[in-house]
Amino acid sequence: MGWLDVGVIAVLNGLAIGLLLFVVAVGLSLVFGMMDVLNLAHGALFVTGAYAAWAVAGERPTWTGWLTALAVAAVVGAVAGGGLSLLTAPLARRSHLEQALLTLGVALVVAELLSAAFGDDVRGVNPPPGLDTTVAVLGNAYPSYRLALIGLGAGLALAMHVVIERTPLGALVRATVADRDMVAAVGIDARLVRVGVFVVGSVLATTAGVLGSPIYNARPGLDSTVLILALVVVVIGGLGSVRGALVAALLIGQIESTGRALLADLASFLLFGALAVVLALRPRGLFAGTIGGRR
């Protein structure tokens, strides 16, 4: 393959990884931006979804098994989100260090439980039937599943934008982010809104684990890798910004994929170099402000 072919494949991989990172990171961004809770258990939720895909659907899933795995991951994410919301509620007015220690402890416990249940081997999951083939893209064979993931991720990003920006529910979420006390003053229980966002963020993380299992595979240590990437996305994009999470996730996806394909020795430096540049120029992130990314 020539440089052009490598570049095309790398850009497509960057889109797939970036949109998957968006699904993971947007929940973390909303929880941090709204509830002011630093949830370091977010990566553990992702890897839980990846193991759920292997346990429920198997190494070579059918569509029934695949959809069942998504449903199971969503239920697990909803329960975990509600539990984490209640667990972190007493620390809502305390320092981020205490929140980080608590959620990091939860992540370590979950990681040990998953390791005890599934072992330390890599648990590979193939795409469902029909998506386990390749298609020709500019003369290059490319996995169908990754193209489907690009389409699904783009659809989810559009859906979240519409919900947040164009619906009464989104207006309520934005208002809670902007001024929780004012929302409470008009008779709305802001705690329920925050719990709902925590649940939605956790569901996005676990279902993203299922969607990402054919790419990353379930394995020990995956939670830390995904958490670091998600935190980089949140910092670059800005807290509580859906638009910022999308732009930052696409940027990191391209740096991860293109950097490793063309400059493998400098890939890690490129990732954190981009983070350093953004922090130097815009310490609050590219779209810091409200959920919609408006200041």
Side-chain angles (χ1 to χ4, degrees):
M1 296 178 66
W3 282 90
L4 179 60
D5 294 326
V6 173
V8 169
I9 297 300
V11 168
L12 289 174
N13 284 338
L15 285 174
I17 293 172
L19 288 167
L20 181 64
L21 279 177
F22 166 76
V23 178
V24 180
V26 70
L28 180 62
S29 179
L30 293 180
V31 168
F32 200 0
M34 172 182 286
M35 302 176 63
D36 200 28
V37 172
L38 181 57
N39 178 23
L40 296 186
H42 210 68
L45 295 175
F46 179 92
V47 78
T48 299
Y51 275 112
W54 182 83
V56 175
E59 184 177 346
R60 297 185 178 278
T62 62
W63 272 107
T64 299
W66 185 256
L67 295 176
T68 303
L70 282 171
V72 169
V75 172
V76 171
V79 173
L84 284 169
S85 178
L86 294 175
L87 194 62
T88 56
L91 303 180
R93 302 294 182 180
R94 301 175 74 170
S95 70
H96 290 150
L97 176 59
E98 294 178 64
Q99 299 167 2
L101 289 174
L102 174 61
T103 54
L104 179 60
V106 172
L108 293 174
V109 170
V110 171
E112 288 299 320
L113 290 174
L114 291 174
S115 181
F118 298 102
D120 294 332
D121 295 330
V122 176
R123 305 297 183 180
V125 179
N126 291 328
L131 297 179
D132 53 355
T133 59
T134 59
V135 296
V137 178
L138 298 179
N140 301 298
Y142 192 75
S144 301
Y145 181 77
R146 297 199 179 202
L147 289 178
L149 188 60
I150 291 172
L152 179 60
L156 284 174
L158 178 61
M160 289 201 66
H161 172 76
V162 171
V163 170
I164 294 296
E165 297 291 334
R166 306 296 181 187
T167 67
L169 177 61
L172 177 59
V173 172
R174 296 199 309 273
T176 306
V177 173
D179 194 335
R180 283 175 282 183
D181 294 334
M182 183 60 69
V183 170
V186 298
I188 298 174
D189 191 344
R191 292 174 299 179
L192 293 179
V193 179
R194 294 196 299 272
V195 170
V197 171
F198 219 132
V199 168
V200 170
S202 298
V203 169
L204 287 173
T206 52
T207 53
V210 176
L211 296 174
S213 58
I215 297 177
Y216 286 107
N217 296 324
R219 64 183 189 275
L222 178 60
D223 53 333
S224 300
T225 301
V226 172
L227 177 63
I228 290 172
L229 291 174
L231 288 173
V232 171
V233 168
V234 170
V235 171
I236 290 178
L239 294 180
S241 172
V242 174
R243 186 186 310 169
L246 178 59
V247 172
L250 292 174
L251 174 64
I252 295 304
Q254 292 301 328
I255 291 174
E256 272 284 287
S257 178
T258 308
R260 293 189 185 280
L262 303 179
L263 298 169
D265 294 337
L266 300 177
S268 297
F269 295 98
L270 292 174
L271 175 64
F272 292 103
L275 176 61
V277 169
V278 171
L279 287 178
L281 299 178
R282 300 181 70 88
R284 297 182 60 202
L286 296 176
F287 295 92
T290 65
I291 282 184
R294 297 186 300 271
R295 297 184 181 279

mmCIF file of all heavy atoms in Angstrom, residues 215-267:
data_model
loop_
_atom_site.group_PDB
_atom_site.id
_atom_site.type_symbol
_atom_site.label_atom_id
_atom_site.label_comp_id
_atom_site.label_asym_id
_atom_site.label_seq_id
_atom_site.Cartn_x
_atom_site.Cartn_y
_atom_site.Cartn_z
ATOM 1 N N ILE A 215 -13.518 -3.797 17.793
ATOM 2 C CA ILE A 215 -12.316 -3.015 17.488
ATOM 3 C C ILE A 215 -11.265 -3.178 18.579
ATOM 4 O O ILE A 215 -10.090 -3.445 18.307
ATOM 5 C CB ILE A 215 -12.675 -1.524 17.320
ATOM 6 C CG1 ILE A 215 -13.614 -1.346 16.124
ATOM 7 C CG2 ILE A 215 -11.416 -0.674 17.156
ATOM 8 C CD1 ILE A 215 -14.086 0.075 15.926
ATOM 9 N N TYR A 216 -11.672 -3.027 19.833
ATOM 10 C CA TYR A 216 -10.716 -3.038 20.939
ATOM 11 C C TYR A 216 -10.584 -4.404 21.607
ATOM 12 O O TYR A 216 -9.549 -4.709 22.191
ATOM 13 C CB TYR A 216 -11.126 -1.998 21.991
ATOM 14 C CG TYR A 216 -10.856 -0.577 21.576
ATOM 15 C CD1 TYR A 216 -11.901 0.273 21.207
ATOM 16 C CD2 TYR A 216 -9.568 -0.076 21.546
ATOM 17 C CE1 TYR A 216 -11.654 1.584 20.828
ATOM 18 C CE2 TYR A 216 -9.313 1.230 21.168
ATOM 19 C CZ TYR A 216 -10.362 2.056 20.812
ATOM 20 O OH TYR A 216 -10.112 3.358 20.438
ATOM 21 N N ASN A 217 -11.653 -5.208 21.573
ATOM 22 C CA ASN A 217 -11.699 -6.493 22.288
ATOM 23 C C ASN A 217 -11.665 -6.258 23.803
ATOM 24 O O ASN A 217 -11.010 -5.342 24.297
ATOM 25 C CB ASN A 217 -10.567 -7.434 21.875
ATOM 26 C CG ASN A 217 -10.645 -7.847 20.426
ATOM 27 O OD1 ASN A 217 -11.738 -8.036 19.894
ATOM 28 N ND2 ASN A 217 -9.510 -7.981 19.774
ATOM 29 N N ALA A 218 -12.390 -7.096 24.527
ATOM 30 C CA ALA A 218 -12.456 -6.985 25.987
ATOM 31 C C ALA A 218 -11.169 -7.546 26.590
ATOM 32 O O ALA A 218 -10.790 -8.683 26.308
ATOM 33 C CB ALA A 218 -13.676 -7.738 26.524
ATOM 34 N N ARG A 219 -10.512 -6.749 27.425
ATOM 35 C CA ARG A 219 -9.254 -7.189 28.028
ATOM 36 C C ARG A 219 -8.942 -6.323 29.240
ATOM 37 O O ARG A 219 -9.419 -5.181 29.335
ATOM 38 C CB ARG A 219 -8.104 -7.073 27.029
ATOM 39 C CG ARG A 219 -7.799 -5.647 26.601
ATOM 40 C CD ARG A 219 -6.699 -5.586 25.560
ATOM 41 N NE ARG A 219 -6.269 -4.220 25.297
ATOM 42 C CZ ARG A 219 -6.845 -3.406 24.445
ATOM 43 N NH1 ARG A 219 -7.901 -3.819 23.754
ATOM 44 N NH2 ARG A 219 -6.371 -2.189 24.258
ATOM 45 N N PRO A 220 -8.166 -6.849 30.178
ATOM 46 C CA PRO A 220 -7.746 -6.033 31.323
ATOM 47 C C PRO A 220 -6.922 -4.832 30.852
ATOM 48 O O PRO A 220 -6.119 -4.925 29.929
ATOM 49 C CB PRO A 220 -6.884 -7.007 32.137
ATOM 50 C CG PRO A 220 -7.347 -8.357 31.736
ATOM 51 C CD PRO A 220 -7.721 -8.249 30.293
ATOM 52 N N GLY A 221 -7.141 -3.711 31.493
ATOM 53 C CA GLY A 221 -6.424 -2.495 31.134
ATOM 54 C C GLY A 221 -7.116 -1.636 30.107
ATOM 55 O O GLY A 221 -6.743 -0.468 29.918
ATOM 56 N N LEU A 222 -8.121 -2.179 29.435
ATOM 57 C CA LEU A 222 -8.841 -1.398 28.430
ATOM 58 C C LEU A 222 -9.559 -0.211 29.068
ATOM 59 O O LEU A 222 -9.672 0.854 28.452
ATOM 60 C CB LEU A 222 -9.840 -2.290 27.693
ATOM 61 C CG LEU A 222 -10.715 -1.612 26.634
ATOM 62 C CD1 LEU A 222 -9.868 -0.987 25.535
ATOM 63 C CD2 LEU A 222 -11.712 -2.614 26.037
ATOM 64 N N ASP A 223 -10.028 -0.389 30.301
ATOM 65 C CA ASP A 223 -10.737 0.697 30.980
ATOM 66 C C ASP A 223 -9.849 1.925 31.132
ATOM 67 O O ASP A 223 -10.301 3.056 30.914
ATOM 68 C CB ASP A 223 -11.266 0.230 32.334
ATOM 69 C CG ASP A 223 -10.180 -0.392 33.202
ATOM 70 O OD1 ASP A 223 -9.197 -0.917 32.642
ATOM 71 O OD2 ASP A 223 -10.322 -0.364 34.435
ATOM 72 N N SER A 224 -8.579 1.722 31.505
ATOM 73 C CA SER A 224 -7.662 2.854 31.682
ATOM 74 C C SER A 224 -7.394 3.550 30.355
ATOM 75 O O SER A 224 -7.371 4.788 30.276
ATOM 76 C CB SER A 224 -6.347 2.377 32.295
ATOM 77 O OG SER A 224 -6.560 1.790 33.557
ATOM 78 N N THR A 225 -7.205 2.769 29.298
ATOM 79 C CA THR A 225 -6.949 3.345 27.980
ATOM 80 C C THR A 225 -8.104 4.222 27.523
ATOM 81 O O THR A 225 -7.914 5.364 27.079
ATOM 82 C CB THR A 225 -6.710 2.230 26.947
ATOM 83 O OG1 THR A 225 -5.592 1.444 27.356
ATOM 84 C CG2 THR A 225 -6.451 2.807 25.566
ATOM 85 N N VAL A 226 -9.310 3.689 27.633
ATOM 86 C CA VAL A 226 -10.491 4.433 27.194
ATOM 87 C C VAL A 226 -10.735 5.651 28.076
ATOM 88 O O VAL A 226 -11.090 6.729 27.585
ATOM 89 C CB VAL A 226 -11.726 3.504 27.183
ATOM 90 C CG1 VAL A 226 -13.001 4.303 26.931
ATOM 91 C CG2 VAL A 226 -11.566 2.424 26.122
ATOM 92 N N LEU A 227 -10.520 5.510 29.383
ATOM 93 C CA LEU A 227 -10.731 6.639 30.294
ATOM 94 C C LEU A 227 -9.789 7.786 29.964
ATOM 95 O O LEU A 227 -10.208 8.956 29.941
ATOM 96 C CB LEU A 227 -10.527 6.192 31.740
ATOM 97 C CG LEU A 227 -10.646 7.300 32.798
ATOM 98 C CD1 LEU A 227 -12.049 7.892 32.797
ATOM 99 C CD2 LEU A 227 -10.290 6.765 34.186
ATOM 100 N N ILE A 228 -8.519 7.487 29.703
ATOM 101 C CA ILE A 228 -7.560 8.539 29.371
ATOM 102 C C ILE A 228 -7.978 9.262 28.097
ATOM 103 O O ILE A 228 -7.980 10.505 28.032
ATOM 104 C CB ILE A 228 -6.143 7.949 29.233
ATOM 105 C CG1 ILE A 228 -5.616 7.508 30.600
ATOM 106 C CG2 ILE A 228 -5.190 8.964 28.608
ATOM 107 C CD1 ILE A 228 -4.318 6.760 30.544
ATOM 108 N N LEU A 229 -8.360 8.497 27.068
ATOM 109 C CA LEU A 229 -8.795 9.119 25.818
ATOM 110 C C LEU A 229 -10.045 9.970 26.032
ATOM 111 O O LEU A 229 -10.161 11.078 25.486
ATOM 112 C CB LEU A 229 -9.058 8.041 24.766
ATOM 113 C CG LEU A 229 -7.834 7.296 24.239
ATOM 114 C CD1 LEU A 229 -8.261 6.161 23.307
ATOM 115 C CD2 LEU A 229 -6.890 8.235 23.516
ATOM 116 N N ALA A 230 -10.993 9.473 26.826
ATOM 117 C CA ALA A 230 -12.225 10.223 27.085
ATOM 118 C C ALA A 230 -11.925 11.509 27.849
ATOM 119 O O ALA A 230 -12.508 12.564 27.559
ATOM 120 C CB ALA A 230 -13.217 9.362 27.862
ATOM 121 N N LEU A 231 -11.021 11.459 28.826
ATOM 122 C CA LEU A 231 -10.663 12.658 29.580
ATOM 123 C C LEU A 231 -9.983 13.680 28.685
ATOM 124 O O LEU A 231 -10.237 14.891 28.807
ATOM 125 C CB LEU A 231 -9.755 12.290 30.754
ATOM 126 C CG LEU A 231 -10.419 11.563 31.924
ATOM 127 C CD1 LEU A 231 -9.375 11.106 32.935
ATOM 128 C CD2 LEU A 231 -11.461 12.447 32.605
ATOM 129 N N VAL A 232 -9.125 13.211 27.769
ATOM 130 C CA VAL A 232 -8.489 14.132 26.824
ATOM 131 C C VAL A 232 -9.542 14.804 25.956
ATOM 132 O O VAL A 232 -9.493 16.015 25.710
ATOM 133 C CB VAL A 232 -7.450 13.378 25.965
ATOM 134 C CG1 VAL A 232 -6.950 14.274 24.832
ATOM 135 C CG2 VAL A 232 -6.277 12.923 26.820
ATOM 136 N N VAL A 233 -10.525 14.035 25.495
ATOM 137 C CA VAL A 233 -11.610 14.596 24.686
ATOM 138 C C VAL A 233 -12.377 15.650 25.472
ATOM 139 O O VAL A 233 -12.677 16.739 24.956
ATOM 140 C CB VAL A 233 -12.561 13.480 24.216
ATOM 141 C CG1 VAL A 233 -13.847 14.066 23.624
ATOM 142 C CG2 VAL A 233 -11.879 12.596 23.186
ATOM 143 N N VAL A 234 -12.701 15.355 26.730
ATOM 144 C CA VAL A 234 -13.463 16.292 27.554
ATOM 145 C C VAL A 234 -12.683 17.579 27.782
ATOM 146 O O VAL A 234 -13.225 18.684 27.688
ATOM 147 C CB VAL A 234 -13.832 15.634 28.902
ATOM 148 C CG1 VAL A 234 -14.404 16.666 29.866
ATOM 149 C CG2 VAL A 234 -14.842 14.519 28.678
ATOM 150 N N VAL A 235 -11.397 17.453 28.069
ATOM 151 C CA VAL A 235 -10.573 18.636 28.338
ATOM 152 C C VAL A 235 -10.443 19.492 27.081
ATOM 153 O O VAL A 235 -10.560 20.718 27.141
ATOM 154 C CB VAL A 235 -9.186 18.220 28.862
ATOM 155 C CG1 VAL A 235 -8.258 19.433 28.943
ATOM 156 C CG2 VAL A 235 -9.304 17.572 30.230
ATOM 157 N N ILE A 236 -10.212 18.859 25.943
ATOM 158 C CA ILE A 236 -10.065 19.625 24.703
ATOM 159 C C ILE A 236 -11.394 20.241 24.283
ATOM 160 O O ILE A 236 -11.456 21.408 23.875
ATOM 161 C CB ILE A 236 -9.516 18.722 23.581
ATOM 162 C CG1 ILE A 236 -8.046 18.366 23.861
ATOM 163 C CG2 ILE A 236 -9.631 19.414 22.215
ATOM 164 C CD1 ILE A 236 -7.437 17.440 22.832
ATOM 165 N N GLY A 237 -12.472 19.485 24.374
ATOM 166 C CA GLY A 237 -13.764 19.979 23.911
ATOM 167 C C GLY A 237 -14.399 21.009 24.817
ATOM 168 O O GLY A 237 -15.087 21.913 24.355
ATOM 169 N N GLY A 238 -14.167 20.894 26.130
ATOM 170 C CA GLY A 238 -14.805 21.795 27.086
ATOM 171 C C GLY A 238 -15.926 21.093 27.826
ATOM 172 O O GLY A 238 -16.688 20.337 27.226
ATOM 173 N N LEU A 239 -16.014 21.359 29.123
ATOM 174 C CA LEU A 239 -16.996 20.673 29.956
ATOM 175 C C LEU A 239 -18.422 20.981 29.531
ATOM 176 O O LEU A 239 -18.775 22.130 29.282
ATOM 177 C CB LEU A 239 -16.814 21.074 31.422
ATOM 178 C CG LEU A 239 -15.514 20.632 32.098
ATOM 179 C CD1 LEU A 239 -15.496 21.110 33.538
ATOM 180 C CD2 LEU A 239 -15.377 19.129 32.037
ATOM 181 N N GLY A 240 -19.238 19.929 29.463
ATOM 182 C CA GLY A 240 -20.663 20.113 29.220
ATOM 183 C C GLY A 240 -21.037 20.485 27.806
ATOM 184 O O GLY A 240 -22.169 20.870 27.544
ATOM 185 N N SER A 241 -20.119 20.366 26.848
ATOM 186 C CA SER A 241 -20.400 20.765 25.476
ATOM 187 C C SER A 241 -20.495 19.546 24.573
ATOM 188 O O SER A 241 -19.510 18.822 24.390
ATOM 189 C CB SER A 241 -19.304 21.713 24.963
ATOM 190 O OG SER A 241 -19.474 21.956 23.585
ATOM 191 N N VAL A 242 -21.673 19.301 24.006
ATOM 192 C CA VAL A 242 -21.843 18.207 23.056
ATOM 193 C C VAL A 242 -21.029 18.486 21.796
ATOM 194 O O VAL A 242 -20.336 17.608 21.272
ATOM 195 C CB VAL A 242 -23.330 18.027 22.703
ATOM 196 C CG1 VAL A 242 -23.504 16.991 21.608
ATOM 197 C CG2 VAL A 242 -24.120 17.608 23.943
ATOM 198 N N ARG A 243 -21.110 19.719 21.322
ATOM 199 C CA ARG A 243 -20.341 20.092 20.132
ATOM 200 C C ARG A 243 -18.848 19.938 20.381
ATOM 201 O O ARG A 243 -18.101 19.428 19.537
ATOM 202 C CB ARG A 243 -20.655 21.531 19.734
ATOM 203 C CG ARG A 243 -20.023 21.982 18.435
ATOM 204 C CD ARG A 243 -20.265 23.459 18.208
ATOM 205 N NE ARG A 243 -21.671 23.788 18.383
ATOM 206 C CZ ARG A 243 -22.134 25.037 18.447
ATOM 207 N NH1 ARG A 243 -21.308 26.059 18.367
ATOM 208 N NH2 ARG A 243 -23.419 25.260 18.598
ATOM 209 N N GLY A 244 -18.403 20.381 21.548
ATOM 210 C CA GLY A 244 -16.991 20.268 21.876
ATOM 211 C C GLY A 244 -16.541 18.824 21.963
ATOM 212 O O GLY A 244 -15.449 18.469 21.500
ATOM 213 N N ALA A 245 -17.376 17.956 22.563
ATOM 214 C CA ALA A 245 -17.028 16.542 22.663
ATOM 215 C C ALA A 245 -16.906 15.919 21.272
ATOM 216 O O ALA A 245 -16.004 15.110 21.020
ATOM 217 C CB ALA A 245 -18.085 15.804 23.489
ATOM 218 N N LEU A 246 -17.801 16.298 20.341
ATOM 219 C CA LEU A 246 -17.750 15.743 18.991
ATOM 220 C C LEU A 246 -16.492 16.194 18.258
ATOM 221 O O LEU A 246 -15.766 15.373 17.677
ATOM 222 C CB LEU A 246 -18.995 16.166 18.208
ATOM 223 C CG LEU A 246 -19.055 15.705 16.747
ATOM 224 C CD1 LEU A 246 -19.001 14.191 16.650
ATOM 225 C CD2 LEU A 246 -20.308 16.255 16.061
ATOM 226 N N VAL A 247 -16.218 17.497 18.288
ATOM 227 C CA VAL A 247 -15.041 18.021 17.579
ATOM 228 C C VAL A 247 -13.756 17.432 18.165
ATOM 229 O O VAL A 247 -12.857 16.994 17.438
ATOM 230 C CB VAL A 247 -15.014 19.560 17.648
ATOM 231 C CG1 VAL A 247 -13.699 20.103 17.099
ATOM 232 C CG2 VAL A 247 -16.196 20.143 16.874
ATOM 233 N N ALA A 248 -13.675 17.403 19.491
ATOM 234 C CA ALA A 248 -12.469 16.879 20.134
ATOM 235 C C ALA A 248 -12.305 15.390 19.877
ATOM 236 O O ALA A 248 -11.186 14.906 19.651
ATOM 237 C CB ALA A 248 -12.519 17.154 21.636
ATOM 238 N N ALA A 249 -13.403 14.628 19.912
ATOM 239 C CA ALA A 249 -13.317 13.185 19.665
ATOM 240 C C ALA A 249 -12.848 12.898 18.243
ATOM 241 O O ALA A 249 -12.013 12.014 18.014
ATOM 242 C CB ALA A 249 -14.674 12.530 19.913
ATOM 243 N N LEU A 250 -13.363 13.658 17.267
ATOM 244 C CA LEU A 250 -12.914 13.476 15.883
ATOM 245 C C LEU A 250 -11.444 13.843 15.741
ATOM 246 O O LEU A 250 -10.685 13.168 15.018
ATOM 247 C CB LEU A 250 -13.770 14.316 14.937
ATOM 248 C CG LEU A 250 -15.234 13.880 14.788
ATOM 249 C CD1 LEU A 250 -16.006 14.872 13.931
ATOM 250 C CD2 LEU A 250 -15.321 12.481 14.185
ATOM 251 N N LEU A 251 -11.023 14.893 16.429
ATOM 252 C CA LEU A 251 -9.619 15.303 16.382
ATOM 253 C C LEU A 251 -8.716 14.228 16.972
ATOM 254 O O LEU A 251 -7.704 13.836 16.367
ATOM 255 C CB LEU A 251 -9.443 16.620 17.146
ATOM 256 C CG LEU A 251 -8.003 17.115 17.320
ATOM 257 C CD1 LEU A 251 -7.388 17.428 15.962
ATOM 258 C CD2 LEU A 251 -7.978 18.352 18.225
ATOM 259 N N ILE A 252 -9.091 13.716 18.149
ATOM 260 C CA ILE A 252 -8.281 12.686 18.803
ATOM 261 C C ILE A 252 -8.293 11.396 17.994
ATOM 262 O O ILE A 252 -7.282 10.692 17.890
ATOM 263 C CB ILE A 252 -8.790 12.433 20.229
ATOM 264 C CG1 ILE A 252 -8.587 13.687 21.083
ATOM 265 C CG2 ILE A 252 -8.073 11.249 20.866
ATOM 266 C CD1 ILE A 252 -7.167 14.182 21.129
ATOM 267 N N GLY A 253 -9.438 11.072 17.403
ATOM 268 C CA GLY A 253 -9.509 9.879 16.554
ATOM 269 C C GLY A 253 -8.530 9.957 15.391
ATOM 270 O O GLY A 253 -7.841 8.980 15.081
ATOM 271 N N GLN A 254 -8.450 11.127 14.762
ATOM 272 C CA GLN A 254 -7.521 11.281 13.647
ATOM 273 C C GLN A 254 -6.066 11.243 14.119
ATOM 274 O O GLN A 254 -5.201 10.655 13.458
ATOM 275 C CB GLN A 254 -7.789 12.602 12.912
ATOM 276 C CG GLN A 254 -9.105 12.634 12.167
ATOM 277 C CD GLN A 254 -9.216 11.535 11.128
ATOM 278 O OE1 GLN A 254 -8.238 11.112 10.526
ATOM 279 N NE2 GLN A 254 -10.434 11.038 10.934
ATOM 280 N N ILE A 255 -5.790 11.858 15.254
ATOM 281 C CA ILE A 255 -4.428 11.838 15.778
ATOM 282 C C ILE A 255 -4.018 10.417 16.134
ATOM 283 O O ILE A 255 -2.905 9.976 15.819
ATOM 284 C CB ILE A 255 -4.318 12.761 17.011
ATOM 285 C CG1 ILE A 255 -4.464 14.217 16.589
ATOM 286 C CG2 ILE A 255 -2.979 12.555 17.728
ATOM 287 C CD1 ILE A 255 -4.510 15.187 17.740
ATOM 288 N N GLU A 256 -4.932 9.685 16.777
ATOM 289 C CA GLU A 256 -4.634 8.305 17.157
ATOM 290 C C GLU A 256 -4.395 7.438 15.929
ATOM 291 O O GLU A 256 -3.417 6.686 15.856
ATOM 292 C CB GLU A 256 -5.807 7.731 17.963
ATOM 293 C CG GLU A 256 -5.732 7.995 19.450
ATOM 294 C CD GLU A 256 -4.723 7.087 20.130
ATOM 295 O OE1 GLU A 256 -4.988 5.884 20.285
ATOM 296 O OE2 GLU A 256 -3.652 7.590 20.501
ATOM 297 N N SER A 257 -5.282 7.535 14.953
ATOM 298 C CA SER A 257 -5.205 6.643 13.796
ATOM 299 C C SER A 257 -4.127 7.063 12.804
ATOM 300 O O SER A 257 -3.233 6.294 12.458
ATOM 301 C CB SER A 257 -6.562 6.597 13.091
ATOM 302 O OG SER A 257 -6.509 5.787 11.944
ATOM 303 N N THR A 258 -4.189 8.319 12.356
ATOM 304 C CA THR A 258 -3.229 8.795 11.370
ATOM 305 C C THR A 258 -1.829 8.848 11.960
ATOM 306 O O THR A 258 -0.842 8.513 11.295
ATOM 307 C CB THR A 258 -3.646 10.180 10.844
ATOM 308 O OG1 THR A 258 -5.002 10.133 10.399
ATOM 309 C CG2 THR A 258 -2.748 10.618 9.693
ATOM 310 N N GLY A 259 -1.737 9.267 13.214
ATOM 311 C CA GLY A 259 -0.432 9.334 13.857
ATOM 312 C C GLY A 259 0.230 7.977 13.949
ATOM 313 O O GLY A 259 1.422 7.829 13.657
ATOM 314 N N ARG A 260 -0.543 6.960 14.326
ATOM 315 C CA ARG A 260 0.030 5.614 14.440
ATOM 316 C C ARG A 260 0.343 5.012 13.074
ATOM 317 O O ARG A 260 1.256 4.196 12.934
ATOM 318 C CB ARG A 260 -0.917 4.703 15.221
ATOM 319 C CG ARG A 260 -1.062 5.092 16.671
ATOM 320 C CD ARG A 260 -1.812 4.078 17.486
ATOM 321 N NE ARG A 260 -2.019 4.552 18.848
ATOM 322 C CZ ARG A 260 -1.096 4.498 19.810
ATOM 323 N NH1 ARG A 260 0.087 3.996 19.527
ATOM 324 N NH2 ARG A 260 -1.359 4.951 21.017
ATOM 325 N N ALA A 261 -0.412 5.403 12.051
ATOM 326 C CA ALA A 261 -0.171 4.854 10.718
ATOM 327 C C ALA A 261 1.041 5.490 10.039
ATOM 328 O O ALA A 261 1.817 4.807 9.368
ATOM 329 C CB ALA A 261 -1.415 5.046 9.848
ATOM 330 N N LEU A 262 1.192 6.801 10.214
ATOM 331 C CA LEU A 262 2.244 7.517 9.494
ATOM 332 C C LEU A 262 3.448 7.862 10.355
ATOM 333 O O LEU A 262 4.572 7.948 9.846
ATOM 334 C CB LEU A 262 1.667 8.802 8.883
ATOM 335 C CG LEU A 262 0.468 8.610 7.941
ATOM 336 C CD1 LEU A 262 -0.013 9.944 7.422
ATOM 337 C CD2 LEU A 262 0.840 7.682 6.789
ATOM 338 N N LEU A 263 3.216 8.078 11.653
ATOM 339 C CA LEU A 263 4.314 8.454 12.560
ATOM 340 C C LEU A 263 4.179 7.639 13.841
ATOM 341 O O LEU A 263 3.923 8.181 14.918
ATOM 342 C CB LEU A 263 4.268 9.955 12.868
ATOM 343 C CG LEU A 263 4.437 10.908 11.674
ATOM 344 C CD1 LEU A 263 4.092 12.324 12.080
ATOM 345 C CD2 LEU A 263 5.862 10.840 11.138
ATOM 346 N N ALA A 264 4.351 6.341 13.713
ATOM 347 C CA ALA A 264 4.081 5.435 14.836
ATOM 348 C C ALA A 264 4.898 5.783 16.074
ATOM 349 O O ALA A 264 4.402 5.712 17.203
ATOM 350 C CB ALA A 264 4.354 3.990 14.416
ATOM 351 N N ASP A 265 6.146 6.188 15.894
ATOM 352 C CA ASP A 265 7.018 6.468 17.039
ATOM 353 C C ASP A 265 6.607 7.730 17.785
ATOM 354 O O ASP A 265 6.984 7.917 18.950
ATOM 355 C CB ASP A 265 8.476 6.610 16.578
ATOM 356 C CG ASP A 265 9.034 5.301 16.028
ATOM 357 O OD1 ASP A 265 8.488 4.240 16.396
ATOM 358 O OD2 ASP A 265 9.993 5.354 15.237
ATOM 359 N N LEU A 266 5.854 8.597 17.134
ATOM 360 C CA LEU A 266 5.480 9.874 17.746
ATOM 361 C C LEU A 266 4.002 9.940 18.102
ATOM 362 O O LEU A 266 3.517 11.002 18.492
ATOM 363 C CB LEU A 266 5.818 11.029 16.791
ATOM 364 C CG LEU A 266 7.293 11.180 16.392
ATOM 365 C CD1 LEU A 266 7.434 12.312 15.390
ATOM 366 C CD2 LEU A 266 8.163 11.436 17.608
ATOM 367 N N ALA A 267 3.272 8.828 17.979
ATOM 368 C CA ALA A 267 1.820 8.851 18.154
ATOM 369 C C ALA A 267 1.415 9.384 19.517
ATOM 370 O O ALA A 267 0.538 10.245 19.638
ATOM 371 C CB ALA A 267 1.247 7.454 17.933
#
